[in-house]
Amino acid sequence: MSRRQTSEKDGRGHSQRQLRVGEELRHLLAQLLERGNMRDPELRDVSITVTAVDVSPDLRNAVAYVMPLGGSDEPRLLAALRRAAPWFRSRVGERAGLRYAPEIRFELDRTFDEADRIGALLRRPDVARDIDEK
């Protein structure tokens, strides 16, 4: 159920540097969204959680997984975030201390939906019966 893919090159997961940079970018994006200094009125006064940031091996591309709190109009907010991506890139580039500011792509985090779906499956009577027979 993890978003994280293994690297095609060596079959291992993300490097420590990728994980560290991803976590730093997640914190920076969360701070920017918390302050609400964006020009786009669709991004003001909206609570958006940045759940994870996956960074490419060369640290030039990043996918930020976001979730609007309250599930309010996800497509509209995602479109607004994508419009504001260059602004986020420049602000993150100023603060991250990286040689290159990564290109940021925003995606909705669907892991919570998947967890709910699996939980509902496990609560079904026929599945619960099979689990309890052990």
Side-chain angles (χ1 to χ4, degrees), residues 6-79:
T6 58
S7 173
E8 298 90 22
K9 187 169 80 173
D10 58 10
R12 293 183 293 177
H14 291 292
S15 70
Q16 278 299 114
R17 177 133 174 92
Q18 284 175 273
L19 295 174
R20 226 176 23 248
V21 169
E23 189 63 16
E24 179 66 21
L25 293 178
R26 186 181 73 80
H27 285 284
L28 290 171
L29 288 171
Q31 287 173 0
L32 291 170
L33 286 166
E34 181 180 14
R35 290 186 189 138
N37 295 340
M38 280 84 50
R39 290 182 189 165
D40 194 333
E42 292 185 14
L43 293 176
R44 288 189 203 135
D45 302 323
V46 176
S47 294
I48 299 173
T49 300
V50 182
T51 57
V53 176
D54 285 345
V55 181
S56 67
D58 64 359
L59 306 179
R60 290 187 183 229
N61 296 296
V63 179
Y65 293 95
V66 297
M67 192 67 185
L69 296 180
S72 59
D73 203 8
E74 293 172 350
R76 182 180 58 83
L77 288 174
L78 188 58

Side-chain angles (χ1 to χ4, degrees), residues 54-120:
D54 285 345
V55 181
S56 67
D58 64 359
L59 306 179
R60 290 187 183 229
N61 296 296
V63 179
Y65 293 95
V66 297
M67 192 67 185
L69 296 180
S72 59
D73 203 8
E74 293 172 350
R76 182 180 58 83
L77 288 174
L78 188 58
L81 285 169
R82 288 177 176 165
R83 281 192 310 269
W87 182 84
F88 283 107
R89 181 182 186 192
S90 67
R91 296 306 171 275
V92 165
E94 293 168 357
R95 295 179 173 104
L98 298 171
R99 184 174 294 169
Y100 301 102
E103 191 75 36
I104 300 171
R105 195 175 83 230
F106 290 95
E107 297 291 334
L108 289 175
D109 189 350
R110 296 290 179 203
T111 56
F112 298 110
D113 297 337
E114 187 67 14
D116 289 342
R117 187 185 71 78
I118 291 171

